[in-house]
Amino acid sequence: MAASSRAQVLRLYRALLRESQRFTAYGYRTYAIRRIRDAFRENKHLKDSEEIQTLVNKARTNLEIIHRQVAVIHWECTQSF
């Protein structure tokens, strides 16, 4: 993996972990962090650049999903009944 690609993947990994820390619910937070770590560990030995790029795109999509879910859950928690 090229150095820039490696740096890009590490930035994405840190962003996913950082965003997952924003879940207020313990169960969501620990599940997301565990899945992120497991997925990155499972794929850390990949050499095929196409496969790496596919997984990076999938991780970006997941980052957007996590970001939206954190916002929705936060919004729901702040609403008064």
Side-chain angles (χ1 to χ4, degrees):
M1 179 179 346
S4 63
S5 221
R6 179 177 169 78
Q8 174 188 22
V9 170
L10 290 174
R11 274 194 306 273
L12 185 56
Y13 176 71
R14 286 191 296 268
L16 284 161
L17 290 176
R18 194 170 29 253
E19 193 65 27
S20 295
Q21 287 292 339
R22 295 182 57 215
F23 279 117
T24 54
Y26 175 79
Y28 286 129
R29 186 173 54 247
T30 56
Y31 175 76
I33 291 169
R34 185 176 63 246
R35 286 293 300 129
I36 292 164
R37 287 181 177 152
D38 289 348
F40 275 78
R41 283 182 187 142
E42 180 181 324
N43 295 305
K44 73 179 182 179
H45 297 294
L46 289 179
K47 301 293 183 204
D48 182 22
S49 61
E50 285 183 29
E51 190 172 356
I52 292 169
Q53 193 58 46
T54 301
L55 290 171
V56 165
N57 292 338
K58 183 178 177 183
R60 283 189 186 129
T61 302
N62 287 335
L63 178 59
E64 292 170 7
I65 291 169
I66 291 170
H67 183 72
R68 282 194 306 269
Q69 289 300 311
V70 166
V72 167
I73 291 171
H74 178 72
W75 180 81
E76 289 174 351
C77 291
T78 59
Q79 298 302 306
S80 59
F81 291 96

